[in-house]
């Protein structure tokens, strides 16, 4: 079992909320609070919800050739990211498969920040930095508080020193003040709603957390634990490294949109280009004809033949009253509307390939 070796400055707040702390990326994170995860889900869709995502790893790259090092480690063109902007995408192995994903932020003046999961992103950038005039440093200090939902902007704008409404998707303010604390605010998130991620030092994280809850109480804003993330991200068709991406090519998981095949050489490019059109499977969205969530890992069949599997962390979404999952199927079965069968312990059930996201973001 992986030991907890990292601590969030917000741990006491999580325990006060009845947090069931579980290890994630060597940090104790609240899987649930005393509140019903469905109410947290509702808050994010109707008002706003706040997460402590400090567990996600961060590192900084600085120096004259920092952009070159990052550019070699990702599939997209880092040199095209303007200061104050960011971009999401995968980090590859030499074999052309994904080992991590994350967001790269251009802080200006040859300063960059990368936020990622529990994969090899930093190691890949460190390798790419060898022989280049730049420095890669692990950021163990920065805390990440995520406020997601339609009322997030209203709350933040009332208490920020800058106009948060001016931020477009994947842009950020390097330094602004929120509730009197110096923070970085980015218009990013993992919910399918308009949301913001606040990066702040551990000495001010509690102030930001408490202030959002104090001023957001009458707006219906709630603190949220990890369990409520799963249906949110499934409704929005957002991929999770551990469950959907690892050791797969971008072509297989529908991430060709973030591969810049015209840019200079990057790690795994030759293998990745050779793999195009030779996908072992395609990632698809599934709507399952049951009134609960699948377990994950079930075998998928078509015409009596095994053709794939269900990815981990499928969900039942109470708001849409649907059993949803992501799965891997043979490429010829990827078309929306394809009928499949899934083998459960209780017996076979049917499923249909559907277009993700299933949550209509136009209604936000």
């Amino acid at each position: 079992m992986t030991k907890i070796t990292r601590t969030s400055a917000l741990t006491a707040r999580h325990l006060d909320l009845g947090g069931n702390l579980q290890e994630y990326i060597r940090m104790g994170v609240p899987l649930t609070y005393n509140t019903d995860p469905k109410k947290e889900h509702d808050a994010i869709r109707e008002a706003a919800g706040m997460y402590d995502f400090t567990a996600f790893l961060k590192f900084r790259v600085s120096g004259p050739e920092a952009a070159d090092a990052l550019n070699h480690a990702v599939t997209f063109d880092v040199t095209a990211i303007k200061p104050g902007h960011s971009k999401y995408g995968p980090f590859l192995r030499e074999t052309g498969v994904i080992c991590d994903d994350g967001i790269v932020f251009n802080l200006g003046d040859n300063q960059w920040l990368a936020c990622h999961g529990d994969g090899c992103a930093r190691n890949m950038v460190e390798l790419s930095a060898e022989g280049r005039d730049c420095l890669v440093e692990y950021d163990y200090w920065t805390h990440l508080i995520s406020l997601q939902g339609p009322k997030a902007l209203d709350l933040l704008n009332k208490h920020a020193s800058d106009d948060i409404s001016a931020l477009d998707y994947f842009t950020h303010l390097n330094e602004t003040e929120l509730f009197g604390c110096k923070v970085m605010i980015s218009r990013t998130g993992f919910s399918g709603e308009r949301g913001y991620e606040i990066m702040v030092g551990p000495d001010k994280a509690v102030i930001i957390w408490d202030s959002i809850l104090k001023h957001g109480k009458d707006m219906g804003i709630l603190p949220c634990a990890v369990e409520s993330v799963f249906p949110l991200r499934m409704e929005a068709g957002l991929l999770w490294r551990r469950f959907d991406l690892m050791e797969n090519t971008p072509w297989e998981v529908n991430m060709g949109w973030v591969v810049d095949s015209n840019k200079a050489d990057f790690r795994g490019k030759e293998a990745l280009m050779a793999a195009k059109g030779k996908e072992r499977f395609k990632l698809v969205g599934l709507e399952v004809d049951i009134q609960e969530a699948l377990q994950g890992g079930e075998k998928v069949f078509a015409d009596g033949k095994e053709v794939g599997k269900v990815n981990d962390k499928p969900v039942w979404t109470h708001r849409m009253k649907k059993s949803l999952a992501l799965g891997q199927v043979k490429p010829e079965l990827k078309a929306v509307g394809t009928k499949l069968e899934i083998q459960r312990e209780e017996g076979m059930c049917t499923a249909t390939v559907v277009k993700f996201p299933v949550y209509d973001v136009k209604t936000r």
Side-chain angles (χ1 to χ4, degrees):
M1 175 179 284
T2 304
K3 292 183 178 180
I4 293 176
T5 58
R6 306 164 59 220
T7 303
S8 168
L10 296 166
T11 298
R13 293 296 187 268
H14 300 322
L15 293 174
D16 288 343
L17 292 164
N20 172 22
L21 300 187
Q22 302 290 323
E23 182 275 331
Y24 184 69
I25 320 180
R26 300 177 299 284
M27 181 175 284
V29 302
L31 183 63
T32 57
Y33 289 141
N34 286 334
T35 48
D36 186 340
K38 295 185 182 69
K39 290 184 178 179
E40 298 171 11
H41 185 167
D42 290 340
I44 290 173
R45 292 287 184 243
E46 298 169 10
M50 179 172 61
Y51 293 97
D52 174 12
F53 282 159
T54 302
F56 288 107
L57 299 174
K58 294 160 284 291
F59 62 92
R60 296 176 184 267
V61 190
S62 59
E65 295 183 293
D68 294 334
L70 283 162
N71 207 35
H72 182 260
V74 296
T75 61
F76 53 89
D77 187 1
V78 170
T79 64
I81 304 174
K82 299 176 182 178
H85 290 68
S86 60
K87 187 154 185 167
Y88 164 81
F91 296 77
L92 303 184
R93 302 190 193 280
E94 291 288 358
T95 53
V97 298
I98 297 170
C99 67
D100 208 346
D101 68 330
I103 300 177
V104 175
F105 299 85
N106 186 345
L107 306 181
D109 297 324
N110 294 321
Q111 303 286 325
W112 300 79
L113 170 67
C115 183
H116 64 107
D118 55 344
C120 63
R122 180 163 58 96
N123 291 339
M124 293 296 103
V125 175
E126 286 173 339
L127 288 173
S128 296
E130 291 180 359
R132 290 187 165 99
D133 186 7
C134 62
L135 179 65
V136 182
E137 298 176 287
Y138 172 50
D139 182 347
Y140 61 88
W141 184 81
T142 301
H143 280 51
L144 195 163
I145 296 172
S146 182
L147 184 65
Q148 303 289 309
K151 295 184 180 180
L153 175 60
D154 290 343
L155 185 143
L156 294 178
N157 241 7
K158 290 176 182 177
H159 303 281
S161 58
D162 291 279
D163 182 12
I164 306 301
S165 67
L167 289 176
D168 290 326
Y169 201 33
F170 282 98
T171 66
H172 59 271
L173 294 168
N174 278 359
E175 187 174 298
T176 186
E177 285 196 1
L178 182 64
F179 300 109
C181 303
K182 289 184 178 181
V183 301
M184 171 178 161
I185 298 181
S186 171
R187 189 177 163 187
T188 46
F190 200 63
S191 66
E193 292 291 343
R194 182 170 186 147
Y196 300 86
E197 295 186 314
I198 303 156
M199 302 205 192
V200 62
D203 56 328
K204 303 296 184 183
V206 172
I207 295 174
I208 298 297
W209 181 271
D210 289 349
S211 297
I212 288 174
L213 292 183
K214 175 184 175 181
H215 293 280
K217 183 178 180 180
D218 292 341
M219 301 171 69
I221 294 174
L222 294 180
C224 299
V226 173
E227 190 67 28
S228 61
V229 172
F230 299 124
L232 286 165
R233 74 102 183 184
M234 192 66 72
E235 290 175 348
L238 300 172
L239 306 184
W240 195 302
R241 186 199 74 89
R242 283 191 182 188
F243 312 132
D244 308 313
L245 302 179
M246 276 296 290
E247 309 305 327
N248 303 322
T249 70
W251 318 125
E252 292 168 333
V253 294
N254 308 317
M255 289 183 69
W257 59 272
V258 78
V259 175
D260 186 348
S261 58
N262 295 318
K263 80 168 189 172
D265 189 39
F266 56 87
R267 179 175 292 102
K269 180 179 180 180
E270 182 177 353
L272 178 60
M273 294 303 137
K276 189 173 185 179
K278 301 176 184 177
E279 294 79 19
R280 298 165 296 174
F281 65 87
K282 293 295 285 188
L283 184 72
V284 297
L286 298 171
E287 184 174 328
V288 189
D289 298 320
I290 56 175
Q291 300 299 305
E292 60 185 347
L294 292 170
Q295 293 296 311
E298 291 91 343
K299 295 179 180 179
V300 178
F301 291 81
D303 297 324
K305 296 181 180 178
E306 185 177 341
V307 295
K309 68 174 184 177
V310 176
N311 288 8
D312 286 342
K313 293 297 180 182
V315 304
W316 168 261
T317 162
H318 75 284
R319 292 184 66 85
M320 305 190 75
K321 295 181 170 53
K322 291 181 179 181
S323 181
L324 300 174
L326 288 163
Q328 301 176 3
V329 300
K330 290 186 176 181
E332 60 269 24
L333 298 172
K334 68 179 182 180
V336 170
T338 300
K339 301 295 183 181
L340 301 166
E341 291 186 314
I342 296 175
Q343 186 179 58
R344 307 171 69 207
E345 290 183 3
E346 299 87 344
M348 301 295 284
C349 66
T350 56
T352 304
V353 175
V354 295
K355 183 179 180 180
F356 270 35
V358 294
Y359 173 64
D360 185 2
V361 295
K362 294 179 181 179
T363 64
R364 286 185 289 174

